[in-house]
Amino acid sequence: MIRRHSRRPRLRVLGTHEILIEPIRRQAESDLGIIVEDQVADSMDAVRRAVTAPDSFDIYHQWHTVDLIWSSRSIQPIDTGKIAGWSEIALWSKDRIRSDAIGDGPQGALFLQKDGTLDSKPSDWASMVPTLHGVDAPGYIRSARNGIVGKEPDSWSWLLDDRWHGKVALASDPSVGIIEAALALESSGHLKFNDIGNLDEEEIDSIASILIRKKKIGHFRGFWSYGEEAERLMSRGGVCLQSIWSPSVFRLRQTGVDVVCSAPVEGYRGWYAGLCLSSRVTGAVLEAAYGYLNWWLSGKPGAILSRQGYYAATPQRARSFLEEKEWNFWYAGQAAASDLVDPFGGVCVRSGDIRDGGSYATRMSHVRVWNSFMDEQNYLVRRWREFLNA
Amino acid sequence: MVKSRPQKRRRRPANERQVDFEEPQRYYEIVETKLRSAIRSGLLRAGTVLYEAAVADLFGVSRPPVKRALQMLEEANLIHRLNRRGYIVGPSGTTLQQIRTNLHRLSLNIMEPLGNGALRASWQRIYEAVEEEILSCSPFGTFQISEAILCDHYNVSRTVIRDVLNRIHGRGLIEKDRWSHWIAGPLSARRLDEHFAMRKILEPAALIAASATLTPEFIMQRRERLDSSSSADLSEPELDHLERDLHWDCVLAIKNRRLIDAIEQNHLSFFINRQFAAKICPIQAEPVRAEHRLVFECLLLKTPVAAAGALEKHIVAAASRTRSRLKVLSILKDVQVAPYLARSS
């Protein structure tokens, strides 16, 4: 048994809890005849490892860190000629969903230029292969919302609204956290930003000082680094409103917590994830890695993760691996024709449910800002940590 | 006698400071050592009168360290008291004929410790080390500087520490918070951009001024050094050498001290790249080599304006690279800092 395994190429995949789930790993092993060794970490630890130890992984399933890991020379360019389905990727295909989003859009640091930098200008070499994308917004407990803000439309401002005092949690990831805090302060009218996707030093200082004061008076009940922590905060921790990711919403619902993923009037925080190749990968492992990259665009893994609320990079390919009722619920914004299961087989959608925020097109066209690694990333990380330690 | 700015010293990572930092000699130690060896060698003959004022004048220092040095020599029974203000060379209890001599005419080799910088003002002896330690912490958060621990750390007085901190403040590297604590960091991309913008204005102008004094041999030597290695990566010391060859040896080969000071005040960018090379990964050699080579070649062709243009382009490209590297430093946490720096919350 061990001997048979040893002849199969082994891929070490670094990524976050939400994406590197066991059903994906098993499916890849079975479809590709390789051994997949997942290295799961929270988003900050994963990028830290990608930067400081590029020889410890073969593939990094990252989100919004290309800029950083390219500068640290942790990744190598990907030959797009070897990626079937490259032109079908929904983020830039002809019929893509358009929005007025600002921040680090999917193509910002995508293509390798002659001078060795990354830019949006197409070339044959790319920094990553997009796999998934989606939108995030605060999640709330339905009953609490009705009691606290009544029928007001959903808004980012609630995250820092006194009416939710003591019942709010935030993501501790600085890149996510600062944008969500900025969206909250912008929509409440407290602050105006020149470019919410690229905050400057003074803007970061203003946000940090408000957050620190809020923290000291007990506005926040907790902070989380990965989905399970967020779920615990809502199921047992007394948190009624928090930044939350889609898989957590559907897992909480399975446990009877009636969480709603809000559809803020200001628009969503958009995100996309993609695969990068370690700069150290060569030879047979590199070939296997290209196989893995192509597999991700085949539709099958996209279909699996669509069942936790993510959108596949090649939706039409994913569609062929989804039942019609699944497609209708997750992508078309229609009521579920029957109970639907998550990637682990648990019922996460009840018959008749309609997805919060509507269809794929409706949600993706309301991206206000993309997740971004801003110019002042170093400064904001330091100020954010002061906030978390305050 | 005292130079008005810190002497240039090969910079080194802050965490090595404890190992190779040479404890500066104090004034009284220098005076004591010099007089002791002069007495032992017979240069200062038994009977020679040593007045505090004359010794202080000889060494160019104030009276208190001289007084202390003479007391130590007296305790060692090498000299004995003549009167309230002076001593005589020779052990006590001996009757010697007093020799009154002009101390300046003795060859005591006082210039040697002066040349080593040991007689630099107290602040100068520790300035570079403190600046390096503060720069080392600044990308990684907000740090409060404890004057008391800093005094203990370097075994110097509060006055010296305040002098050092005020000078570092003058360079814009620290500031006071509303409780009057000295604060370092966090370093922003904008601050870095400002440094590069200044360098872009100043360095090309300095290079044009310097070009007349740079000999072809001097430039060839540097260009050859550039081409002597073809390694794809630059380690921290390699990068340091390469930068010095152009940005110190050529650009700063000018007599205008104010311009030199203004340029050196914007050298923060080199520090970020060194931190990156030390903590993240080696620096990619090719863009730096190609850009430096072009500047040297223009200088060799005696076209200083073209050289200045090439230098300006290099600084712009370096700004973009350095900004990206500062972003990468954001992933580092819990870095080691000097004991007098406390993370502020």
Side-chain angles (χ1 to χ4, degrees), chain B residues 179-282:
Chain B
W179 298 279
S180 221
H181 298 130
W182 285 116
I183 297 291
L187 176 67
S188 65
R190 180 192 298 172
R191 176 69 58 86
L192 188 64
D193 285 347
E194 287 168 1
H195 283 267
F196 271 109
M198 290 303 288
R199 284 184 53 203
K200 187 178 154 218
I201 295 167
L202 299 173
E203 287 198 26
L207 187 65
I208 291 175
S211 61
T213 64
L214 299 171
T215 63
E217 295 74 34
F218 185 85
I219 300 160
M220 296 262 271
Q221 200 182 21
R222 269 145 196 82
R223 196 191 61 178
E224 276 164 25
R225 199 147 52 211
L226 194 68
D227 293 331
S228 65
S229 163
S230 57
S231 63
D233 292 331
L234 294 170
S235 65
E236 191 195 351
E238 285 168 333
L239 177 72
D240 204 22
H241 280 124
L242 206 131
E243 300 287 31
R244 278 184 181 276
D245 276 352
L246 176 63
H247 297 283
W248 272 261
D249 294 357
C250 295
V251 172
L252 298 185
I254 48 173
K255 290 204 168 128
N256 185 336
R257 291 234 60 88
R258 283 176 176 279
L259 184 51
I260 293 174
D261 278 351
I263 290 172
E264 285 195 327
Q265 284 199 14
N266 294 289
H267 274 174
L268 176 76
S269 45
F270 296 111
F271 176 80
I272 296 298
N273 287 325
R274 284 207 318 272
Q275 289 255 321
F276 184 89
K279 294 192 164 82
I280 304 287
C281 70

Side-chain angles (χ1 to χ4, degrees), chain B residues 14 23 87 89 104 141 158 166 192 199 211 259 267 283 325:
Chain B
E23 192 64 36
Y87 292 81
V89 176
H104 285 282
R158 244 340 141 92
N166 275 317
L192 188 64
R199 284 184 53 203
S211 61
L259 184 51
H267 274 174
I283 300 282
R325 289 177 192 138

Side-chain angles (χ1 to χ4, degrees), chain A residues 55 85 121 137 236 325 372:
Chain A
D55 46 6
K121 194 177 148 209
R236 298 199 291 274
K325 61 187 179 187
S372 299

Side-chain angles (χ1 to χ4, degrees), chain A residues 44-45 47-49 51-52 67-69 71-73 104 117 200-202 216 280 373-379 381-383 385-386 389-390, chain B residues 138-142 186-191 232-233 276 279-284 323-333 343-345:
Chain A
M44 287 306 285
D45 284 339
V47 67
R48 198 168 292 124
R49 196 184 306 172
V51 165
T52 55
D67 200 0
L68 250 67
I69 56 180
S71 297
S72 68
R73 297 157 68 197
D104 290 347
T117 59
D200 69 23
E201 197 180 329
E202 284 81 11
K216 287 186 172 169
R280 312 298 162 90
F373 268 71
M374 307 184 185
D375 288 343
E376 289 291 5
Q377 178 69 13
N378 186 60
Y379 190 79
V381 165
R382 307 304 165 191
R383 297 304 323 263
R385 192 152 292 136
E386 284 168 38
N389 293 334
Chain B
S138 67
F140 305 111
T142 311
L187 176 67
S188 65
R190 180 192 298 172
R191 176 69 58 86
D233 292 331
F276 184 89
K279 294 192 164 82
I280 304 287
C281 70
I283 300 282
Q284 209 166 1
R323 183 201 267 257
S324 303
R325 289 177 192 138
L326 175 64
K327 249 178 155 175
V328 179
L329 292 183
S330 71
I331 62 120
L332 294 177
K333 59 175 188 181
R343 201 174 274 279
S344 157
S345 58

